[in-house]
Amino acid sequence: MTFKDYITLLASDYTLQTITLGTAILGAICGMLGSFAVLRKQSLLGDAISHASLPGIAIAFLLTGSKDTNVLLLGALISGLLGAFWIRGIVKKTHLKTDTALGLILSVFFGFGMLLLTYIQKQPNANQAGLDKFLFGQAATLLVEDVWLMAAVTGICLVVLLLFWKEFKLLLFDEDYTKTLGFNTKFIDILITSFIVVAIVLGLQTVGVVLMSAMLLAPAAAARQWTNSLGVMLLLAAAFGIASGVIGTGISASQSNLSTGPVIVLVAGTFVLFSFIFSPSRGILFRQLRLGSSRRDLALHKTLSFMFEIAKTHEDKSHPHAVQILNNFQGYTIKTLKKLEAKDYITINGKMWSMTKKGYAAAGNLYNQNLKDE
């Protein structure tokens, strides 16, 4: 199927419309809430919570015998919240660091979940088939009711973000100052964590336990490269998340034997890679260009300062000197001399150079600045 065929199918296929809308909404909420995890340096939180939700899915099935998505996701929510608050409790009540607590909860809960799934699969009835879809996700199982649930949760998140915007910003960048202002930091922290858990649980059906952390973090990581503003970052992260969901669904639908969840994550990873390279402020490409420019400017200033040291020994500052005396100076190159001449800092006559008044003044400023720095 070509991309044009996919667009035509999207306009007419109700199921594909539902899946595309669901993945777009999931990308938006994951992008927004993932930004808080990235800025709080809790990038592994999404991975830990997504893995911690697996036992809840298995226990919900064992207790009810039902594979109803809402029942299983409720179990995942309870298990995920339990894992999140255990992480918080370990960090607050012990001397263990956050990364240790995250790794501990992730491995213990996931191991317990896999144990329960193995036990369920060995039961004599056939009703347990399909539970493993929560490991890697299965977007094709999204129903309209699931999309409405995602939309409702996203709307609630937006309302809460607007209501507690100032508190969230303060807590992200200076928790101690937030306390001095009288805000309940514990409540704000629990609120952020709870919404992150909800977003992860909503994405389990689409992306799965294993890949959900990437869906949460990739759009936020990409957005962080483009801005220093929290508001702009949240909008960009939501946009990257939506684009990842829509494009990933389109690629999966247009090609056979491609799972939607992994494709969405790969698209999100492509946005991260693009941002790491081409972001004007933090991108590798522009950083190297700025570094090269700085090195060239430094070579220019070093050569000009060296010339200044020579020229100031003469009463006539425009006294000509042989280019040959620069041969043993590391900053000297013919290209550097041409740049200095283009800036009207020096004049070159054959193999002789002399400083202009403009160049002598510029070099004097550099010399005085170096004295101040010392």
Side-chain angles (χ1 to χ4, degrees), residues 239-266:
F240 284 135
I242 292 171
S244 299
V246 173
I247 296 173
T249 303
I251 295 174
S252 177
S254 59
Q255 303 293 327
S256 60
N257 301 322
L258 286 180
S259 298
T260 305
V263 175
I264 291 174
V265 170
L266 287 175

Side-chain angles (χ1 to χ4, degrees), residues 45-84:
L45 181 63
D47 204 21
I49 293 174
S50 62
H51 285 73
S53 63
L54 186 60
I57 295 172
I59 293 173
F61 175 78
L62 287 172
L63 292 177
T64 63
S66 169
K67 290 194 298 183
D68 180 79
T69 301
N70 292 330
V71 173
L72 298 180
L73 290 183
L74 179 60
L77 177 62
I78 296 172
S79 182
L81 287 172
L82 183 62

Side-chain angles (χ1 to χ4, degrees), residues 293-303:
S293 177
S294 298
R295 286 174 175 171
R296 290 189 294 270
D297 289 342
L298 180 60
L300 212 66
H301 292 163
K302 285 175 64 179
T303 305

Side-chain angles (χ1 to χ4, degrees), residues 7-333:
I7 296 298
T8 304
L9 183 62
L10 181 62
S12 58
D13 192 303
Y14 183 75
T15 302
L16 187 57
Q17 291 173 359
T18 301
I19 296 172
T20 303
L21 183 59
T23 54
I25 294 174
L26 176 65
I29 188 173
C30 285
M32 288 188 296
L33 295 176
S35 299
F36 291 100
V38 169
L39 292 175
R40 298 177 74 190
K41 299 179 180 179
Q42 294 180 336
S43 298
L44 276 176
L45 181 63
D47 204 21
I49 293 174
S50 62
H51 285 73
S53 63
L54 186 60
I57 295 172
I59 293 173
F61 175 78
L62 287 172
L63 292 177
T64 63
S66 169
K67 290 194 298 183
D68 180 79
T69 301
N70 292 330
V71 173
L72 298 180
L73 290 183
L74 179 60
L77 177 62
I78 296 172
S79 182
L81 287 172
L82 183 62
F85 292 120
W86 273 21
I87 292 170
R88 191 175 185 276
I90 289 173
V91 174
K92 297 290 184 182
K93 304 297 183 182
T94 70
H95 295 290
L96 297 177
K97 300 297 183 181
T98 303
D99 57 343
T100 305
L102 289 170
L104 183 64
I105 294 300
L106 183 154
S107 55
V108 171
F109 272 68
F110 187 65
F112 182 47
M114 290 302 297
L115 180 66
L116 291 175
L117 284 182
T118 303
Y119 171 76
I120 291 172
Q121 289 171 358
K122 291 183 178 180
Q123 296 301 302
N125 60 75
N127 190 40
Q128 73 272 21
L131 287 180
D132 57 345
K133 73 180 182 182
F134 287 98
L135 286 175
F136 298 103
Q138 192 173 348
T141 61
L142 282 176
L143 302 175
V144 178
E145 294 79 8
D146 302 324
V147 175
W148 278 112
L149 178 61
M150 290 180 182
V153 173
T154 303
I156 294 172
C157 285
L158 288 174
V159 172
V160 173
L161 280 175
L162 292 174
L163 290 177
F164 294 93
W165 180 251
K166 179 175 64 177
E167 291 83 353
F168 287 160
K169 287 182 68 174
L170 286 171
L171 182 66
L172 281 175
F173 299 109
D174 197 334
E175 184 175 353
D176 293 332
Y177 181 60
T178 308
K179 290 180 181 178
T180 62
L181 294 178
F183 292 111
N184 189 338
T185 56
K186 183 178 180 180
F187 170 75
I188 301 170
D189 180 51
I190 291 174
L191 192 61
I192 294 176
T193 303
S194 299
F195 274 111
I196 291 176
V197 174
V198 170
I200 290 171
V201 170
L202 288 177
L204 293 180
Q205 185 178 359
T206 305
V207 182
V209 167
V210 178
L211 299 175
M212 188 57 216
S213 61
M215 191 63 193
L216 187 74
L217 300 176
R224 184 67 183 93
Q225 303 304 307
W226 297 90
T227 182
N228 290 320
S229 168
L230 178 61
V232 175
M233 180 180 174
L234 260 64
L235 291 175
L236 282 176
F240 284 135
I242 292 171
S244 299
V246 173
I247 296 173
T249 303
I251 295 174
S252 177
S254 59
Q255 303 293 327
S256 60
N257 301 322
L258 286 180
S259 298
T260 305
V263 175
I264 291 174
V265 170
L266 287 175
V267 173
T270 303
F271 282 122
V272 175
L273 181 62
F274 179 85
S275 301
F276 282 170
I277 296 175
F278 295 105
S279 167
S281 57
R282 296 185 176 87
I284 296 173
L285 175 62
F286 288 95
R287 188 165 62 231
Q288 290 300 318
L289 292 175
R290 287 192 297 269
L291 182 60
S293 177
S294 298
R295 286 174 175 171
R296 290 189 294 270
D297 289 342
L298 180 60
L300 212 66
H301 292 163
K302 285 175 64 179
T303 305
L304 189 62
S305 297
F306 185 71
M307 290 177 163
F308 176 77
E309 291 291 339
I310 297 173
K312 73 178 184 179
T313 60
H314 297 75
E315 292 184 5
D316 182 8
K317 310 306 180 196
S318 61
H319 178 79
H321 300 275
V323 173
Q324 187 178 1
I325 66 174
L326 300 174
N327 284 344
N328 294 326
F329 175 60
Q330 291 182 351
Y332 156 70
T333 62

